[in-house]
């Protein structure tokens, strides 16, 4: 999973975990280390344990490059 997560460095992503209360965490992937992902959102830094990550996807954008509205 670590090698797969490295593909998303520098991209704005949605990370789905088994333990997050709102079922997803959003932010820009800054680094992937041994067993963790470092995210940044609105100037705040957050670390996520890779053992609890079930899915990572890049934030969807429309044809003009704007962020699409996501319904969870």
């Amino acid at each position: 999973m670590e090698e797969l997560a490295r593909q998303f460095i520098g991209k704005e992503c949605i990370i789905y975990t088994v333990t997050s209360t709102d079922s997803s965490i959003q932010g820009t992937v800054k680094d992937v280390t041994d067993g963790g992902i470092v995210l940044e959102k609105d100037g705040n830094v957050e670390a996520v344990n890779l053992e609890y990550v079930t899915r990572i996807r890049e934030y969807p954008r429309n044809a003009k490059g704007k962020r699409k509205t996501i319904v969870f």
Side-chain angles (χ1 to χ4, degrees):
M1 184 65 154
E2 199 173 313
E3 289 300 316
L4 296 172
R6 288 187 196 280
Q7 297 176 15
F8 294 99
I9 292 176
K11 297 180 182 177
E12 189 173 7
C13 295
I14 304 168
I15 298 177
Y16 299 89
T17 64
V18 294
T19 59
S20 62
T21 56
D22 58 355
S23 75
S24 68
I25 302 166
Q26 299 178 19
T28 303
V29 178
K30 292 296 179 184
D31 192 19
V32 178
T33 60
D34 296 333
I37 298 175
V38 178
L39 295 170
E40 182 179 358
K41 182 174 182 180
D42 300 329
N44 297 322
V45 178
E46 184 173 355
V48 180
N49 189 337
L50 271 173
E51 291 182 19
Y52 299 113
V53 173
T54 57
R55 180 180 176 197
I56 302 172
R57 73 182 233 194
E58 191 172 350
Y59 206 97
R61 303 209 176 258
N62 64 16
K64 295 182 180 180
K66 294 183 179 180
R67 290 173 46 166
K68 287 185 178 180
T69 303
I70 297 177
V71 178
F72 293 100

